[in-house]
Amino acid sequence: MYAYEIDKYAEAVNRFHNPETQFLGDITKWESHKELIGWGNVDLIMGGSPCQDLSVAGRRAGLNGARSGLVFVFAELVKHYKPRYFFLENVASMTKENREAITELMGVEPVEMSSASVSAQHRKRLYWTNIPYITPQPQGLTIKDILEDEPKGVLYYEKQRVFLKNSPVNCSTFVRQTGRVDNRTSQGYRIYDINGKLPALDTRQDRIKIPMPEGSARSLSNVEMERAFTLPDNYTEIGLDSSGCCIDISKTRRGKMIGNGWVVKVIEQFFRSIE
């Protein structure tokens, strides 16, 4: 397995769990690895360029943005190596023009799926792939199913700052807002009903808040974020550096790599079709 990754902490966690992986750094330098990998030897190319240029939460530079424009590099790899399978992910909230451009580039229509069926998070994404998709059975997971009894590293908000509603407000079919911190309306201050789903998580776990029984509220822990992405508990806690030494990953860096990641059980639904 070869991996292109420029976040050294994400690379360290990957190396800890998959020590056989060869890490090749910046994907824009892929042509220098042609002889190493070899034409015709690739079974699967999978990836997802950073979504900030395409998402409604970003600045909408679109496919001309330096980050989301990496989709063109992905397409170059697929064209060159001609893998048996390819798998490209990005946000569903991109413009129609960007969606159509990627579809033309990859030659397949995307599968649109929310992770709500298989996780406690409502994360809608598009997947361009030649792997058949198997529709999962809904598992009915909610926020309360992923909460820790004694979470570590969370931020608490005093009940004097918390404004709870008498009944939750539906933000979508799955997500229900039940209050606000400091009575502010932006997403970073919203409190979510634990009997519903989390909205799509980003790289900061303190942006999502849940109510506490005594009327206060708190943020999510790293472990709860991992569970929302259907990762094993503490999967991102330890890494291996390039010399093979173990390193502890900080709370902030863990949150960043989790929020930039994929919901594992969604990807699993596709990969069940691979023989």
Side-chain angles (χ1 to χ4, degrees):
M1 183 165 65
Y2 302 94
Y4 288 96
E5 178 61 73
I6 60 172
D7 182 332
K8 68 177 183 179
Y9 299 103
E11 178 181 308
V13 169
N14 193 344
R15 183 180 288 110
F16 179 79
H17 294 286
N18 303 287
E20 74 284 0
T21 301
Q22 295 190 52
F23 296 92
L24 304 179
D26 185 347
I27 196 170
T28 63
K29 308 294 193 299
W30 71 272
E31 291 191 57
S32 63
H33 304 123
K34 286 181 179 179
E35 293 186 7
L36 171 66
I37 298 175
W39 184 86
N41 295 325
V42 179
D43 295 309
L44 167 70
I45 297 178
M46 60 186 296
S49 62
C51 67
Q52 288 88 341
D53 296 327
L54 297 172
S55 170
V56 291
R59 295 182 179 179
R60 288 285 187 166
L63 291 176
N64 293 322
R67 294 169 294 187
S68 295
L70 292 175
V71 66
F72 294 110
V73 180
F74 181 93
E76 289 174 1
L77 267 73
V78 171
K79 182 178 180 180
H80 172 75
Y81 288 112
K82 293 180 171 55
R84 183 180 179 191
Y85 298 110
F86 62 85
F87 189 88
L88 175 66
E89 176 263 10
N90 219 298
V91 292
S93 61
M94 67 176 65
T95 65
K96 179 181 177 182
E97 291 75 15
N98 285 326
R99 176 172 176 159
E100 290 177 347
I102 298 175
T103 297
E104 182 176 358
L105 188 66
M106 300 310 304
V108 294
E109 288 288 337
V111 175
E112 182 174 319
M113 181 182 173
S114 167
S115 62
S117 294
V118 293
S119 77
Q121 180 184 183
H122 178 46
R123 190 179 187 86
K124 189 179 291 186
R125 291 294 186 266
L126 297 173
Y127 303 93
W128 287 266
T129 182
N130 61 346
I131 303 173
Y133 172 63
I134 298 176
T135 303
Q137 290 292 326
Q139 297 181 10
L141 294 171
T142 62
I143 297 174
K144 66 181 179 182
D145 295 314
I146 66 168
L147 298 182
E148 290 189 278
D149 294 331
E150 298 181 1
K152 297 179 180 178
V154 300
L155 295 175
Y156 286 90
Y157 302 86
E158 297 177 351
K159 62 182 179 181
Q160 290 83 357
R161 298 179 57 190
V162 173
F163 293 77
L164 295 176
K165 303 176 182 296
N166 291 328
S167 59
V169 176
N170 285 349
C171 302
S172 71
T173 306
F174 308 99
V175 181
R176 296 197 293 267
Q177 181 186 343
T178 192
R180 299 192 293 261
V181 172
D182 296 335
N183 212 16
R184 299 180 65 171
T185 58
S186 59
Q187 184 170 357
Y189 292 89
R190 297 173 188 170
I191 301 171
Y192 294 95
D193 179 12
I194 64 171
N195 294 302
K197 303 280 186 180
L198 289 165
L201 298 176
D202 63 14
T203 58
R204 290 179 52 188
Q205 64 265 50
D206 61 327
R207 286 175 57 83
I208 300 297
K209 300 165 180 59
I210 58 173
M212 300 297 291
E214 70 277 9
S216 62
R218 70 166 175 86
S219 65
L220 298 177
S221 69
N222 284 133
V223 168
E224 289 164 347
M225 281 191 73
E226 288 170 335
R227 291 175 181 177
F229 281 82
T230 61
L231 287 163
D233 287 3
N234 293 311
Y235 187 87
T236 60
E237 184 177 34
I238 300 174
L240 282 181
D241 64 19
S242 57
S243 64
C245 296
C246 284
I247 57 174
D248 293 327
I249 311 297
S250 71
K251 168 189 171 182
T252 300
R253 287 165 179 156
R254 289 176 67 184
K256 178 181 178 181
M257 72 176 74
I258 298 167
N260 278 333
W262 295 349
V263 177
V264 176
K265 286 193 177 297
V266 171
I267 313 306
E268 182 181 286
Q269 290 303 129
F270 286 93
F271 285 11
R272 287 180 184 277
S273 299
I274 295 181
E275 297 178 358

